[in-house]
Amino acid sequence: MFTGLIQRIGTVRRVSRGAGLVVEIAVGEPWERPFEAGESIAVNGVCLTVAKFDATRFTADVLRETEERSMLGSLLPGAKVNLERALRSGDAMGGHIVQGHVDAVGRVRAKIPRGRDFRLEVECGRVIAAQSVLKGSIAIDGVSLTISGLGDDWLAVDVIPSTASETTIGQKKPGDSVNLEGDVIGKYTAKMVSAAKPGLTEESLVRAGFI
């Protein structure tokens, strides 16, 4: 499990294809806690397993399913990626619950300056939009952000200067593709509503105080 609070920006050093996709990522200075074989790390919001490593880099295998649901398959050497190591017992929970399971690839449709901040509007598709709520959470390329605008098939987030400078979100521009992971609570709620008996709707759950 992750929080969506990015710890490092890494650099893709190598992308190789044989029986499957393998990525090698450099992390700059050695991490305070050494890597461990088999540990989980989120790369642009995608949970990967560390296969090989040294103090300043690691390699991970990427499943075909992961390629189909995310942008990892389009990574090229030199690309910058957001990195977050898995949450450990006792760590602070500062963002929101992020599983590292990307739901869909979205597309940035607008980047609007708002003083020192900016608003990012992202085409997310109707499924993610239906599972989202204003002031709820969304992970974009692994970054925990708060939804500030919402339509039938798009959402918007407002980005503060520190998030823009400490993650890759600040470099996004219209037309760029991004990995999206919806709030797990919204996904479970949508599943329960769809499986409920006729007459039980999202609106009736809201009126009853369940959501």
Side-chain angles (χ1 to χ4, degrees):
M1 189 177 79
F2 306 92
T3 67
L5 299 184
I6 303 306
Q7 298 164 337
R8 293 277 183 96
I9 294 181
T11 303
V12 177
R13 291 190 56 176
R14 181 172 60 89
V15 178
S16 60
R17 291 183 180 275
L21 176 64
V22 178
V23 295
E24 179 182 313
I25 297 173
V27 300
E29 295 296 320
W31 223 299
E32 295 80 4
R33 174 167 57 91
F35 288 119
E36 299 176 10
E39 76 165 286
S40 296
I41 185 166
V43 178
N44 275 0
V46 180
C47 180
L48 297 180
T49 300
V50 173
K52 298 178 181 179
F53 63 92
D54 60 27
T56 61
R57 61 183 174 176
F58 68 91
T59 63
D61 298 290
V62 181
L63 293 172
R64 180 65 58 85
E65 166 76 4
T66 302
E67 284 193 71
E68 293 173 351
R69 287 186 175 270
S70 74
M71 292 298 298
L72 289 194
S74 65
L75 289 177
L76 297 173
K80 301 297 183 182
V81 290
N82 296 318
L83 301 176
E84 181 190 356
R85 299 175 75 175
L87 191 67
R88 297 185 299 171
S89 178
D91 286 348
M93 184 71 182
H96 73 282
I97 296 174
V98 177
Q99 296 179 300
H101 302 160
V102 170
D103 295 307
V105 173
R107 188 176 69 87
V108 176
R109 72 175 194 176
K111 183 177 184 179
I112 305 166
R114 308 187 84 182
R116 297 174 62 241
D117 310 329
F118 66 85
R119 170 166 287 197
L120 207 63
E121 294 184 356
V122 179
E123 295 172 359
C124 62
R126 291 182 176 274
V127 173
I128 291 180
Q131 296 171 352
S132 301
V133 295
L134 285 173
K135 305 305 179 183
S137 298
I138 185 78
I140 300 180
D141 275 356
V143 182
S144 175
L145 295 164
T146 300
I147 297 170
S148 56
L150 187 62
D152 290 338
D153 59 359
W154 64 272
L155 57 82
V157 295
D158 286 83
V159 181
I160 60 176
S162 60
T163 300
S165 63
E166 295 172 12
T167 74
T168 64
I169 293 295
Q171 304 304 313
K172 297 301 176 184
K173 59 186 183 302
D176 284 351
S177 296
V178 291
N179 294 324
L180 299 175
E181 181 186 334
D183 187 359
V184 65
I185 297 174
K187 287 185 277 189
Y188 277 115
T189 301
K191 180 69 173 180
M192 288 187 290
V193 170
S194 67
K197 62 183 181 180
L200 183 60
T201 65
E202 184 175 354
E203 290 75 14
S204 64
L205 289 174
V206 171
R207 288 196 300 271
F210 288 104
I211 57 175

